[in-house]
Amino acid sequence: ARETTLTWIGHATMLLQLKGINILTDPQYSERASPFQWTGPRRVVPPGLALDKTPPIHLVIISHDHYDSLDRPSLRKLYARKGGGETTFLVPLGLKRWFEAEGIRRVIELDWWDQYDYRDLKITAVPVQHWSQRRPFERNKTLWAGWVVQSADFRFFFAGDTGYAGIFKEIGSKLGPFDLSAIPIGAYEPRWFMRTFHVNPREAVRIHLDVRSKKSVAMHWGTFPLTDEPLDEPPGKLAEALKELRVPEEAFQVLQHGETLTFPVRSNP
C-alpha cells in the first residue's frame, strides 16, 4: 500500500495521491487568472510543482467555471501531455459542454450529491455557496461544487470556492468525518461584497469544525491578488481564529507552495 500525499501547487490547485491514483483539483498553472494572458490578476508565486513535473493524472476535479479555477491553457496542456487522454475530468452540472468544445473527452458531469466510482474511490459532488459566470450575461448557467473523495480508509474534502453556509454541517454528517480537507482562506475583503461567496479565515475554521475534519490545509490564498486584503494576511488571521475557536494549530495547516503533506499507510483500516 502506498502512502497518501497532498501537495499544494498554488491557489486551489492541489495534487492528491491516494491508492495509486493521482488527482488534481482546479488546475491553474497560468501567469494570469484571466481570460487574457496580458491583463488580469497576475501570479505572484510560480506553481509549486511545474505542470511538466506533475505525475500522470488520473482524475481532474473542477469546482466551478471562474478563471482562477477553470483555466483553459492549463487544461489544454494537461490534456495534450502523454497519457492526457486517459485523464477523467469530473465537473459540476452544465460544464461538460465547455470541455467538449475544447476537444476534451472523458468528462463526467455531476449534480450535487451525485456519486461517481473510479477504481477503488467514491467521488461525490457536494453543494457549496458560490456562483458561476465565464462570459457576460451568463451568470449561474452552470453549477459549482465542492468534492468528496473516499477510499476504504481515507476521506478527503475539497471545498472549492465558497461562502459560509449551514450546508457544511450536512456534508459532515452525511460524508464525514474527514481525514483531510482543503479549505479556502483568502479573497475575503471587502466583507460587504465578498461574504456571500468567499469565506474569511474564521469561517474557514468553522467549515473545518462543521465537516468534522481531523486535519485541514489552507488554499485559495497567496497566489493571485484577487481582492482587497494584503496577499500575506490570511495565515495570520487563520492563526488568530484557531486560537479563538480553540482548535489546535496543527489541525489546520498553511502549506508553502510546493509543500507536501504525507499520511502514513494504515495497516488495518
Side-chain angles (χ1 to χ4, degrees):
R2 307 173 207 194
E3 52 197 14
T4 297
T5 67
L6 182 83
T7 304
W8 185 44
I9 292 169
H11 202 56
T13 310
M14 299 265 176
L15 172 64
L16 174 69
Q17 299 182 284
L18 176 61
K19 302 284 177 241
I21 298 167
N22 299 328
I23 303 164
L24 201 56
T25 64
D26 286 357
Q28 170 45 290
Y29 292 84
S30 291
E31 187 62 20
R32 294 185 188 271
S34 159
F36 312 106
Q37 290 302 305
W38 66 88
T39 184
R42 189 174 199 162
R43 183 183 283 279
V44 292
V45 183
L49 181 65
L51 187 54
D52 53 12
K53 299 272 190 288
T54 307
I57 299 298
H58 303 100
L59 289 173
V60 168
I61 286 172
I62 300 290
S63 63
H64 67 303
D65 72 358
H66 291 159
Y67 289 95
D68 57 331
S69 287
L70 180 66
D71 182 57
R72 175 188 268 139
S74 301
L75 289 162
R76 292 181 89 149
K77 280 178 201 150
L78 257 175
Y79 197 67
R81 287 199 322 168
K82 187 169 178 278
E86 303 298 301
T87 307
T88 299
F89 295 80
L90 294 174
V91 305
L93 218 52
L95 266 180
K96 186 173 180 169
R97 244 178 62 211
W98 184 91
F99 279 79
E100 290 183 336
E102 292 296 322
I104 295 175
R105 304 280 171 261
R106 298 172 75 113
V107 183
I108 309 290
E109 194 175 75
L110 298 186
D111 197 355
W112 289 342
W113 303 115
D114 282 355
Q115 190 185 295
Y116 175 73
D117 293 340
Y118 182 89
R119 291 184 3 206
D120 298 334
L121 304 182
K122 278 185 181 23
I123 299 136
T124 310
V126 294
V128 295
Q129 185 168 292
H130 203 56
W131 60 292
S132 69
Q133 182 172 0
R134 225 171 146 77
R135 294 198 296 216
F137 317 115
E138 284 189 0
R139 195 175 168 98
N140 296 346
K141 293 280 197 277
T142 63
L143 201 58
W144 50 93
W147 294 87
V148 171
V149 180
Q150 292 168 264
S151 71
D153 61 354
F154 197 87
R155 289 171 189 230
F156 171 68
F157 172 52
F158 174 70
D161 208 346
T162 185
Y164 183 72
I167 193 68
F168 295 105
K169 287 194 170 82
E170 191 182 341
I171 292 168
S173 64
K174 279 187 175 173
L175 298 170
F178 293 100
D179 297 281
L180 178 63
S181 298
I183 301 174
I185 66 163
Y188 47 80
E189 291 291 350
R191 273 334 266 152
W192 65 268
F193 181 62
M194 289 294 169
R195 64 175 311 153
T196 321
F197 307 118
H198 285 164
V199 290
N200 63 21
R202 193 175 191 281
E203 292 164 330
V205 178
R206 288 175 67 189
I207 292 176
H208 163 85
L209 294 168
D210 286 357
V211 299
R212 300 187 295 147
S213 193
K214 291 177 199 162
K215 188 171 188 79
S216 294
V217 295
M219 63 169 183
H220 203 273
W221 78 279
T223 313
F224 294 101
L226 298 175
T227 46
D228 287 357
E229 81 276 358
L231 208 59
D232 58 356
E233 179 183 278
K237 295 272 188 214
L238 178 66
E240 285 168 25
L242 290 169
K243 205 172 261 156
E244 187 192 333
L245 296 166
R246 303 205 170 133
V247 175
E249 217 174 282
E250 62 279 7
F252 200 138
Q253 205 170 334
V254 175
L255 301 178
Q256 299 302 310
H257 290 81
E259 192 177 342
T260 300
L261 272 186
T262 303
F263 293 80
V265 179
R266 293 179 190 162
S267 47
N268 46 355

